Amino acid sequence: MTNQVDKLTDDLEAGGVGDDDADISDTASRLVRTEPAQTEIDPPHVSTEFFAQQFQDLVSTTKVRMLDTDRVKKLTPLGIQRLLKKQAPDLPVSQTQIYRYFHGEAPPRLGVVYELARLFEVAPTYFVEGSNEETPSFPDAKPTRSAQKAKAAIDPPHVATEFFAKRFRALAASMGVRMLDTDRVRKLTPLRIQQLLKEQAPDLPVSQTQIYRYFHGEAPPRLDVVYELARLFGVPPTYFVPEEILPE
């Protein structure tokens, strides 16, 4: 056995391997170091980048004083998340999420935008591009049955979610869509809005169910959805965001 191993070693070093050893030779030739594959990361949505820049600017000018030592320390994602949980215990946001929002890696939901504005004592529109544009007004739409059920729920929606849904319904009620085949004008539904959004922004991850829930105030929308809805309806993104902190 030892002689066979020695022979194989000598043959490999000499470059001569018999037919019986072809499989071993092929295997040896395939053992080459490869570089890890480069994966392309999709760039963040423009609304996500704007929010992150505004968030970073705000944090860089704000410090927190420690009550036990009276020392002043800069804010970290962990510190911000803890302050948010004290201010709004029911707000579903983790330290990791705050870190990703801060670095522009994910779009925050409208409830988080609102609570950050309340924490830092700025207008919620501070975090939304287009705050210098004039915000249009539309007559309020009638509350839907789903919205009425949400109000009666044990856990009512966040104030920012209610504000958005009310504005969303008013905007949709004031507009219609003309059918190309019949030339009839029909009212906008969550399904049609979602279809128009996917045509406008194919990479936007939003489903018909999500649009339905945003429309009826059952869930807070992400900031990228707010931005694309504003672009779809031709209004500034701030139309969907309170200009000041609302009374509880």
Side-chain angles (χ1 to χ4, degrees), residues 1-243:
M1 180 69 180
T2 305
N3 292 336
Q4 291 178 349
V5 173
D6 291 342
K7 181 179 183 303
L8 177 60
T9 303
D10 293 341
D11 288 342
L12 285 172
E13 290 178 351
V17 180
D19 293 338
D20 295 337
D21 304 319
D23 292 341
I24 298 176
S25 177
D26 289 345
T27 302
S29 66
R30 289 196 297 269
L31 296 179
V32 293
R33 185 181 298 276
T34 59
E35 295 295 328
Q38 297 293 326
T39 57
E40 293 187 4
I41 300 176
D42 294 332
H45 192 274
V46 61
S47 62
T48 305
E49 288 185 308
F50 183 88
F51 172 87
Q53 185 60 59
Q54 295 291 91
F55 193 6
Q56 292 166 15
D57 290 346
L58 198 57
V59 169
S60 67
T61 60
T62 307
K63 300 291 187 294
V64 60
R65 185 177 297 277
M66 310 302 293
L67 294 178
D68 52 350
T69 62
D70 204 42
R71 290 177 56 191
V72 176
K73 299 182 69 176
K74 66 180 182 179
L75 284 171
T76 63
L78 174 59
I80 294 169
Q81 189 262 352
R82 286 175 174 172
L83 291 171
L84 279 178
K85 294 303 285 185
K86 286 181 181 178
Q87 173 180 283
D90 296 330
L91 187 70
V93 63
S94 66
Q95 180 192 353
T96 301
Q97 287 173 313
I98 292 294
Y99 180 91
R100 297 193 70 201
Y101 302 155
F102 184 83
H103 291 284
E105 297 176 4
R109 294 195 177 274
L110 203 53
V112 175
V113 174
Y114 182 91
E115 291 301 337
L116 281 172
R118 194 154 72 96
L119 178 66
F120 286 101
E121 298 182 346
V122 297
T125 51
Y126 166 84
F127 293 107
V128 183
E129 191 172 13
S131 57
N132 58 342
E133 298 181 41
E134 185 178 353
T135 302
S137 60
F138 299 90
D140 291 342
K142 293 181 180 180
T144 62
R145 184 175 299 176
S146 178
Q148 291 172 344
K149 285 182 179 179
K151 276 198 169 185
I154 297 175
D155 295 325
H158 191 277
V159 62
T161 303
E162 285 189 310
F163 182 92
F164 170 87
K166 185 178 179 181
R167 288 290 181 97
F168 191 6
R169 291 194 299 269
L171 193 57
S174 68
M175 299 185 181
V177 59
R178 186 176 298 279
M179 310 303 293
L180 294 178
D181 52 350
T182 63
D183 204 42
R184 291 176 57 190
V185 176
R186 304 184 67 177
K187 66 179 182 179
L188 285 171
T189 63
L191 172 58
R192 292 196 181 95
I193 293 170
Q194 189 263 352
Q195 289 172 341
L196 292 171
L197 276 179
K198 293 304 286 184
E199 289 178 9
Q200 172 181 284
D203 296 330
L204 185 71
V206 63
S207 66
Q208 180 192 354
T209 300
Q210 287 174 311
I211 292 295
Y212 180 91
R213 298 192 70 202
Y214 301 156
F215 188 86
H216 293 289
E218 297 176 3
R222 298 188 316 274
L223 204 54
D224 55 347
V225 176
V226 173
Y227 183 93
E228 291 299 338
L229 280 172
R231 193 156 72 96
L232 178 66
F233 286 106
V235 297
T238 49
Y239 167 81
F240 294 109
V241 183
E243 296 180 1

